[in-house]
């Protein structure tokens, strides 16, 4: 990576943060989570950090290691070490000046908040800067040269210029070039590759052994397809690792470049067994989608798996700001069509968010008569079918514009998340009618409503938050819920189902048409938080209900050092 080019993206020295306020003679405030007394400056950036830091609830990542073999216990620390390298690589992508910034920040809370956000922008508050002198967060992160406009790359005659495993560099004359990740990050990727090779030597499971070897090769070649196919074929492994450059949310300029991340996972076999039957129902559910035939003529892959895991380590992109609670991979559309995907439900993290966030939100904002319908099983199912629903709908436009993702570019992610939300609910509704799922529809709908109120707090800078805001506003317009005089939300169960079908139709049509301008308009009109809703969300903050969680994790936490 051209260091001088990347440094220019943010700032060139420490002088611009010299204005951080000293707080030696100001009022004291007690942190309710730690019990420690902290001095803050009223209305200062440090005061802002103090209030925001309290919105993250600490959670220790553990699991039952008794399910692991002796070799798997030896293998686990190697996977965590490889994941930690992904964490360092994500820092280089998101904010490479981490060390120089932390060196001049004396306030420990601010330092912690920088670490949570992987930089000086509040990811759950529309990327608001919280360090003096820091400007807006660049849409292109470090994937593109400083000051490069979208049109500069669009008109450039460059082969493979939207390669997801590369950056764009500019020489002194302004000439652009494509540089692969395995060249930019060669040294670190080689170390991670070596760790995966060592882990493969210890793997008892043949599928895991093959995957680790191929993934190790992928890290140093940027050819991830063979390892993705082998990963989908793994059936009997207990340990797993998702590792590499995967999601493209960090690239807000083109939604093209991928960010490094890793999850180290331990499969919950009992829960996974309960989920196996649902993927085979995808083709039938696809046929019933509430949209004209041309938008649902594709056949979803059925060689997919639904599994439940406990996560024992998060690293990089998935650990930045809001924490992922379910994963649907691979993202490659061709693999999805030929083979399907694996939907991984991250059960321990999901349970932590339900207990510490969703239930307190429901107790505050859901109508008292409907609070009885909020349950973890419904939350788990709604999240699970969100991931399954990524496989429904349409991957290629009906207008000859190619894949939906390529046609919608930076507008793709938020709309796809919105599709998965509403089609996940559509799946729940259909499966209940077919008696393939048990429970009361009121439970799933009310829990979904509470989930909306949880996720809109992620803000307008985050794809999932934008998707939930669109859903909230659409459902409100259709009368799917009302806000009572008491300031609580009450679901109209009949209209909720109708709104679900209407929004499904709208999103699938937008995707199938590949009309980027129409999607931009939909986002501008609907992915917004009204003053009334914001006031209700502020009530949650005043009640000190967390927005998200932050992890205590690592080999030492697990006791496998």
């Amino acid at each position: 990576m051209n260091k001088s080019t990347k440094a220019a993206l943010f700032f060139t020295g420490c002088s611009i943060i010299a204005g951080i306020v000293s707080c030696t003679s100001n009022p004291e405030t007690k942190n309710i989570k730690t019990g420690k007394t902290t001095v803050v400056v009223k209305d200062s950036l440090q005061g802002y950090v103090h209030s925001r830091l309290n919105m993250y609830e600490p959670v220790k990542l553990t699991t039952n290691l008794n399910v692991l073999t002796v070799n798997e216990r030896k293998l686990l620390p190697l996977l965590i070490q490889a994941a930690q390298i992904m964490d360092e690589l994500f820092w280089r992508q998101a904010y490479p000046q981490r060390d120089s910034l932390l060196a001049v920040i004396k306030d420990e809370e601010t330092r912690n908040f920088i670490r949570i956000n992987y930089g000086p922008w509040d990811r759950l508050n529309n990327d608001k800067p919280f360090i003096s002198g820091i400007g807006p967060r660049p849409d292109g992160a470090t994937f593109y040269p400083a000051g490069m406009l979208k049109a500069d790359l669009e008109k450039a005659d460059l082969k493979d210029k939207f390669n997801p495993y590369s950056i764009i560099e500019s020489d002194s004359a302004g000439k652009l070039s494509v540089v692969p990740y395995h060249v930019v990050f060669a040294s670190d990727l080689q170390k991670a590759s070596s760790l995966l090779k060592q882990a493969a030597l210890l793997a008892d499971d043949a599928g895991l052994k093959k995957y680790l070897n191929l993934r190790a090769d992928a890290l140093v070649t940027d050819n991830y397809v063979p390892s993705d196919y082998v990963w989908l074929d793994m059936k009997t492994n207990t340990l797993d690792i998702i590792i590499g450059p995967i999601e493209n949310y960090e690239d807000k300029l083109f939604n093209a470049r991928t960010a490094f991340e890793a999850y180290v996972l331990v499969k919950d076999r009992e829960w996974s067994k309960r989920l196996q039957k649902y993927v085979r129902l995808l083709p039938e559910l696809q046929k019933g989608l509430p949209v004209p035939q041309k938008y649902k003529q594709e056949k979803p892959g059925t060689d997919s798996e639904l599994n439940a895991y406990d996560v024992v380590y998060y690293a990089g992109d998935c650990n930045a700001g809001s924490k992922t609670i379910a994963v649907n991979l691979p993202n490659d559309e061709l693999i999805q069509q030929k083979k399907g995907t694996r939907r991984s439900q991250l059960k321990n993290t999901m349970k932590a968010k339900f207990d510490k966030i969703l239930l307190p939100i429901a107790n505050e904002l859901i109508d008292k008569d409907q609070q009885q319908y909020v349950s973890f099983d419904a939350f788990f199912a709604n999240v699970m079918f969100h991931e399954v629903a990524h496989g429904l709908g349409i991957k290629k436009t009906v207008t000859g514009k190619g894949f939906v993702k390529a046609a919608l570019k930076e507008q793709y992610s938020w709309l796809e998340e919105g599709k998965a939300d509403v089609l996940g609910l559509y799946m729940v509704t259909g499966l209940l009618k077919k008696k393939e799922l048990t429970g009361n529809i009121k439970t799933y709908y009310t829990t979904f409503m509470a989930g909306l109120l949880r996720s809109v707090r992620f803000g307008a800078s985050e794809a999932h938050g934008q998707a939930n805001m669109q859903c909230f506003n659409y459902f409100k317009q259709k009368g799917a819920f009302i806000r009572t005089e008491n300031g609580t939300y009450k679901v109209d169960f009949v209209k909720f189902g109708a709104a679900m079908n209407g929004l499904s139709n709208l999103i699938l049509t937008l995707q199938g048409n590949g009309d980027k301008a129409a999607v931009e308009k939909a986002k501008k009109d609907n992915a917004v938080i009204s003053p009334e809703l914001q006031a209700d969300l502020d009530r949650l903050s005043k009640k000190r209900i967390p927005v998200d969680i932050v992890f205590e994790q690592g080999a030492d936490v697990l006791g496998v050092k």
Side-chain angles (χ1 to χ4, degrees), residues 213-225:
N213 278 316
L214 285 175
R215 202 65 175 182
D217 294 338
L219 289 174
V220 295
T221 63
D222 290 324
N223 181 15
Y224 289 90
V225 172

Side-chain angles (χ1 to χ4, degrees), residues 5 9 115 167 218-219 237 260 301 347 353 356 405 440 501 512:
T5 298
L9 282 170
R115 294 185 186 104
I167 66 166
L219 289 174
N237 57 304
F260 286 98
K347 187 167 66 69
K353 289 202 181 191
K356 297 178 181 296
K405 186 175 182 179
N440 186 335
N501 287 330

Side-chain angles (χ1 to χ4, degrees), residues 476-517:
K476 181 180 179 181
Q477 292 164 13
K478 299 299 180 181
F481 61 84
I482 61 168
R483 185 179 183 277
T484 69
E485 293 180 355
N486 297 325
T488 58
Y489 292 83
K490 188 171 186 177
V491 173
D492 182 313
F493 298 109
V494 174
K495 292 181 180 179
F496 213 80
M500 169 192 73
N501 287 330
L503 184 56
S504 297
N505 181 290
L506 174 64
I507 292 177
L508 289 172
T509 302
L510 286 170
Q511 288 188 323
N513 292 343
D515 188 341
K516 186 165 171 281

Side-chain angles (χ1 to χ4, degrees), residues 60-81 84 202 239 264-266 311-313 553-561:
K60 185 176 289 187
L61 282 183
T62 59
T63 191
N64 177 19
L65 296 183
N66 292 328
V67 301
L68 302 182
T69 67
V70 172
N71 275 353
E72 286 170 338
R73 283 173 174 264
K74 295 177 181 177
L75 191 158
L76 188 54
L78 295 172
L79 299 184
I80 291 174
Q81 289 175 49
Q84 289 168 337
L202 292 168
L239 277 182
V264 181
L265 307 164
V266 177
V311 193
V312 295
Y313 203 85
Q553 59 177 357
D556 54 340
V557 173
L558 290 168
V560 294
K561 261 193 165 182

